[in-house]
Amino acid sequence: MISRLSLLTATDVQQRLARFLRDRRREHRLSRRVLAERSTVPASTIKRFEATGQVSLRQFLLLWQCLDDLGRVAALGDAPEVAPRTIEEVLRE
């Protein structure tokens, strides 16, 4: 397990993601009802998610897919690029 000091909690991240998707929904001028129809996520679930950040991963992905590039979420599973630490590593590349 990677252990790094962070002041962020899982709840903080959930709420940030919920705000982001709520703002994207509003930018697209979509009501919760219309987003529910497009995403298959019930409007009541969208309302709860926007208020609390609580939603299943599947429902989160369905909402994200309607409002943003799903590839951005998929990229979170990619191995991070490791920056060179020495000049020798830079020159080898």
Side-chain angles (χ1 to χ4, degrees), residues 55-66 70 73-74:
V55 72
S56 75
L57 177 59
R58 171 104 176 120
Q59 290 171 324
F60 172 77
L61 294 173
L62 289 168
L63 292 171
W64 191 284
Q65 183 176 356
C66 289
L70 196 54
V73 176

Side-chain angles (χ1 to χ4, degrees), residues 9-22:
T9 66
T11 301
D12 295 334
V13 174
Q14 285 176 285
Q15 290 172 344
R16 281 186 186 187
L17 292 170
R19 273 192 308 270
F20 175 79
L21 287 184
R22 182 200 63 214

Side-chain angles (χ1 to χ4, degrees), residues 15-54:
Q15 290 172 344
R16 281 186 186 187
L17 292 170
R19 273 192 308 270
F20 175 79
L21 287 184
R22 182 200 63 214
D23 292 347
R24 293 287 293 172
R25 176 180 64 79
R26 290 176 176 171
E27 287 171 17
H28 289 288
R29 298 189 188 325
L30 296 174
S31 66
R32 288 186 187 122
R33 183 186 57 77
V34 171
L35 181 56
E37 291 170 3
R38 291 183 183 180
S39 67
T40 72
V41 176
S44 59
T45 300
I46 295 170
K47 181 178 181 178
R48 180 173 44 89
F49 173 57
E50 290 180 351
T52 68
Q54 298 288 317

Side-chain angles (χ1 to χ4, degrees), residues 73-84:
V73 176
L76 294 173
D78 295 344
E81 289 187 28
V82 178

Side-chain angles (χ1 to χ4, degrees), residues 86-93:
T86 66
I87 191 67
E88 289 80 18
E89 290 177 2
V90 171
L91 294 174
R92 274 186 293 212
E93 294 179 16

